[in-house]
Amino acid sequence: MLQEKMMSVAIRKYLFETALLTVLTTGIGAWIFHSLRPALFLADYVWIPVYFYVFGGLLMAGVTKNSKEGSDPKKLVQAYLLARIIKMFVSVIAVVVFCLAVHTEVTAVVAAFIINYFVYLGYDSWFFSHLGKYQKMKNKTL
């Protein structure tokens, strides 16, 4: 029961922090495109951070679903790594589809997507590593 409550708090914290990150990356990315390269301003740029927010929520739901009370921590790590690999492949497909659908300069779209990918990858890695350390400490005290 305690494990489920901790995961519920972790999910809410992750979604809130990721929403803030999405707003921040959307604002900064749009400002950069508008300031530096107005001719390449991507009106659809906002969908890139939203994509990462939605995919991050699905990632969190999938990983926390596998972390039931008494579950093996190795299975949790395996689920996280599998989700990261799936995210990478889906992201490549999403960039290709976006470039074909929008008919914009591919370099700008790919650069924006890669930068956002690494920003969200860094945040996800930081969040899940701290979550794992916190759970390990909680399990030792119980």
Side-chain angles (χ1 to χ4, degrees), residues 5-139:
K5 187 174 182 178
M6 277 184 2
M7 291 315 278
S8 175
V9 169
I11 290 171
R12 285 195 306 267
K13 181 180 178 189
Y14 177 81
L15 291 176
F16 177 74
E17 290 176 356
T18 307
L20 289 176
L21 182 64
T22 301
V23 169
L24 184 66
T25 56
T26 301
I28 291 172
W31 176 76
I32 288 171
F33 268 109
H34 183 68
S35 298
L36 300 178
R37 302 290 298 264
L40 294 178
F41 180 71
L42 296 173
D44 298 323
Y45 169 76
V46 70
W47 294 110
I48 295 173
V50 168
Y51 163 81
F52 285 107
Y53 177 75
V54 170
F55 214 104
L58 294 173
L59 173 79
M60 183 62 155
V63 169
T64 56
K65 180 182 172 191
N66 291 324
S67 67
K68 296 176 182 161
E69 197 167 325
S71 67
D72 186 14
K74 289 182 181 179
K75 287 187 179 185
L76 182 63
V77 171
Q78 290 173 347
Y80 173 74
L81 292 174
L82 179 63
R84 300 298 313 167
I85 291 169
I86 291 171
K87 182 178 182 178
M88 184 180 67
F89 285 121
V90 170
S91 295
V92 169
I93 292 168
V95 168
V96 170
V97 168
F98 183 81
C99 288
L100 292 174
V102 175
H103 300 292
T104 187
E105 186 176 321
V106 175
T107 308
V109 173
V110 171
F113 203 89
I114 288 173
I115 290 169
N116 276 279
Y117 185 86
F118 282 119
V119 166
Y120 283 89
L121 176 66
Y123 173 73
D124 286 348
S125 298
W126 173 83
F127 183 85
F128 282 108
S129 69
H130 278 79
L131 180 64
K133 289 177 186 175
Y134 179 75
Q135 284 183 338
K136 194 180 280 189
M137 285 188 335
K138 279 291 192 188
N139 288 341

